[in-house]
Amino acid sequence: MEGFAGKVAIITGAGRGIGKALALSLSEKGARLVLNDLDPKPLLETQNLAKGETVGVSGSVSNTEIGALLTKTAIEKYGTIDLVATLAGYTWDSMLHRMDQTQWNDIIDVHLNGTYSVVQPAFSAMRHAALSEKESEILIKPRKILTVSSMSAFGNLGQANYAAAKAGIVGLTRTAAIEGAAFNILSNSIAFGPIDTRLTRPRESQNEWVGDSAQGIPEKARAAYFSTLPLGRPGTIPEAVEPMLFLLSSHANYISGTLLEVNGAAHIS
Ligand SMILES: NC(=O)c1ccc[n+]([C@@H]2O[C@H](COP(=O)([O-])OP(=O)(O)OC[C@H]3O[C@@H](n4cnc5c(N)ncnc54)[C@H](O)[C@@H]3O)[C@@H](O)[C@H]2O)c1
C-alpha cells in the first residue's frame, strides 16, 4: 500500500505481536516511527529490525507521562504526527464472580486509560497543526488515529474487565472522530476476533506473563471458541495488520468514527 513515505507514526505495544508487525510494515513503506512497549528488550528488537528512522520510548501507557512523552518525542524528532495506533495491552481473565479489584483496575488502566493517555496529547498536537494549516489557508492534511478494540467489547466469557475497557475505547475513538472532523483528524477503531499471538495461543504451551497474569487461552476453551468461528481458525498477524494499514492509508480518507470488525465472520455464526 502506497502513501506512507515520510509519515510520522506513533505505535504502542510495538515490541510483539500485531504492533510489532504494523511497525515493521510501516517502516518498510517509509514511515518514520515513535515506538513504545512496556518491555524495553522486545521494543529494541523491533527498532533494530525496522528499516527507516525510529525512536523508542519504553514504559507503560497507563502512565500519563509516557503518553505525553510519545507526542513530545514525535514533535521534537520529526516535527509532526500523522498517525497514531494504540496496540499496547494484555489480558487478565477470570469469571466475574472471582474477579478482584486489582484485575479490574489493571486491565482498565492499560487498555482504556492507556489509550486515552496516548491519544489525548497526540490529538491535541494534531489539532494544533491543523489549526496552523487552516490559518495559513493551506490544505489541512488528513491525520489518523487508530485504536484497538476487540470482539470482546460486545461481551465475552471471563473478560468483564477487558470487555469494558475495549467498549470504552470505542466511545473515546468515536468522540475523537466527532471533535476531530473539522480538523481532518480521522479516528477509527478495529475490533479483532482471535488473532494468533501470545494472547490467544494455548496457555499451557507457552510461558508468557504480564505481571501475575499468564497470557494465552486454556487449550480446551480455545478449541471450543475457535470451533464457533465460521472461518474455523484464528486470524494471522498479517491478516490483522492489512486492515490497519488500510485505515491508516490515504485509501481511507473519508472513513472516520467507524469500528471495523476483523473477526473470522463471528457475527454470522
Ligand atoms: N490477539 C488477539 O486475538 C487480539 C484480539 C483483540 C484485540 N487484541 C488487541 O490487540 C493489541 C495487541 O495485542 P497482541 O495480540 O499483538 O498482543 P502481544 O502480547 O503480542 O503484544 C502486545 C504488546 O503490548 C505490550 N504491552 C502490554 N502492556 C503494556 C503497557 N502497559 N504499556 C505499553 N506496552 C504494553 C506488551 O509488552 C506486548 O509487547 C492489544 O490491545 C490486544 O488487546 C488482540
Side-chain angles (χ1 to χ4, degrees):
M1 206 171 283
E2 303 302 316
F4 291 113
K7 297 277 185 213
V8 174
I10 294 174
I11 304 171
T12 71
R16 297 183 182 81
I18 306 166
K20 176 181 183 175
L22 177 68
L24 295 181
S25 182
L26 282 174
S27 94
E28 180 80 33
K29 297 173 194 326
R32 297 172 289 164
L33 306 177
V34 177
L35 303 179
N36 155 270
D37 202 278
L38 179 64
D39 298 329
K41 205 169 154 222
L43 175 61
L44 194 60
E45 280 166 17
T46 304
Q47 283 182 259
N48 289 338
L49 288 170
K51 293 268 185 289
E53 284 184 86
T54 65
V55 55
V57 176
S58 62
S60 176
V61 290
S62 55
N63 175 350
T64 51
E65 285 173 19
I66 294 291
L69 189 55
L70 291 170
T71 285
K72 188 167 177 276
T73 304
I75 300 292
E76 281 178 4
K77 185 165 166 65
Y78 304 123
T80 190
I81 304 171
D82 298 296
L83 314 169
V84 178
T86 55
L87 290 112
Y90 66 97
T91 51
W92 196 359
D93 300 349
S94 71
M95 299 295 276
L96 187 52
H97 64 280
R98 281 198 294 265
M99 187 165 287
D100 68 30
Q101 195 65 43
T102 308
Q103 263 175 297
W104 173 267
N105 290 346
D106 284 7
I107 291 300
I108 297 291
D109 227 21
V110 61
H111 290 282
L112 185 54
N113 296 339
T115 300
Y116 166 79
S117 90
V118 173
V119 164
Q120 193 281 334
F123 179 89
S124 203
M126 287 173 162
R127 187 182 183 280
H128 182 78
L131 263 180
S132 301
E133 288 165 356
K134 204 175 206 169
E135 278 160 18
S136 310
E137 295 183 2
I138 56 175
L139 203 67
I140 303 178
K141 62 175 181 170
R143 296 178 171 87
K144 306 200 173 179
I145 292 167
L146 180 55
T147 62
V148 175
S149 182
S150 166
M151 285 302 292
S152 299
F154 301 102
N156 195 24
L157 191 83
Q159 292 197 314
N161 51 1
Y162 186 76
K166 290 300 198 188
I169 286 172
V170 178
L172 165 63
T173 308
R174 291 172 68 101
T175 302
I178 292 166
E179 294 184 12
F183 304 93
N184 212 8
I185 300 169
L186 307 156
S187 175
N188 295 292
S189 195
I190 193 155
F192 291 124
I195 304 298
D196 182 36
T197 70
R198 67 176 184 164
L199 261 50
T200 56
R201 291 181 189 138
R203 189 177 290 176
E204 298 84 349
S205 55
Q206 64 179 3
N207 189 21
E208 292 286 340
W209 292 80
V210 180
D212 290 334
S213 175
Q215 301 301 286
I217 308 178
E219 183 75 72
K220 246 173 97 179
R222 187 175 178 270
Y225 176 32
F226 291 170
S227 73
T228 66
L229 285 174
L231 290 189
R233 62 171 179 86
T236 64
I237 289 176
E239 286 169 338
V241 168
E242 288 295 330
M244 297 193 87
L245 290 173
F246 165 68
L247 286 173
L248 292 169
S249 78
S250 57
H251 297 292
N253 282 355
Y254 198 59
I255 300 179
S256 192
T258 200
L259 175 66
L260 179 64
E261 295 181 24
V262 177
N263 62 19
H267 284 314
I268 60 168
S269 61

